Amino acid sequence: MSRAEQVLALVLTGLAARPDTSDFVTHVERSWTEGDDVLCLVYRQPRWYGDLTIGLRRTVELDWSIDGVADEVLVGELDEPLGSMFDTLEPDEDGVMWWSGNLPEWKGRR
């Protein structure tokens, strides 16, 4: 199993374990990996973004543990609103607003 597949499995398990009654629930529409180190997650978070569909395309850092990357995706990326970054997102042909969790300014968090 690739690093991206391992992280994605942990992220999906973590999201599934959360109560569906939360105001900040994340609804995953689809997910996949690209190669050994990229995961993609298409999701909705109605509390923050209404009916918009958001897409996270993220590289799995080689110098982080699998658990550390999964935790960063769950807590540092999906549990936090996109803030002003949201204003720069453009929908693709399917209406998915894509962003990357690998922002350089975030690298020092772990």
Side-chain angles (χ1 to χ4, degrees):
M1 184 180 277
S2 73
R3 288 178 57 79
E5 290 169 330
Q6 292 175 62
V7 170
L8 185 56
L10 289 173
V11 168
L12 294 175
T13 299
L15 290 173
R18 294 177 174 179
D20 204 16
T21 58
S22 167
D23 283 343
F24 299 101
V25 66
T26 298
H27 300 282
V28 176
E29 294 191 354
R30 60 190 183 277
S31 61
W32 66 93
T33 60
E34 297 175 351
D36 292 336
D37 63 350
V38 174
L39 65 92
C40 298
L41 188 70
V42 176
Y43 63 98
R44 288 181 301 107
Q45 291 177 320
R47 171 70 177 226
W48 285 327
Y49 307 113
D51 291 334
L52 293 176
T53 304
I54 309 295
L56 171 64
R57 184 174 191 281
R58 190 187 199 295
T59 301
V60 176
E61 292 89 340
L62 292 175
D63 58 339
W64 286 13
S65 70
I66 296 297
D67 289 335
V69 177
D71 182 61
E72 181 66 13
V73 171
L74 286 166
V75 177
E77 296 170 8
L78 295 178
D79 280 357
E80 295 293 329
L82 295 172
S84 62
M85 182 190 324
F86 180 78
D87 297 334
T88 66
L89 302 181
E90 294 288 331
D92 68 8
E93 62 276 356
D94 296 320
V96 177
M97 310 280 277
W98 286 97
W99 71 286
S100 171
N102 295 81
L103 300 177
E105 58 268 28
W106 292 358
K107 295 293 184 184
R109 293 199 306 203
R110 295 231 182 245

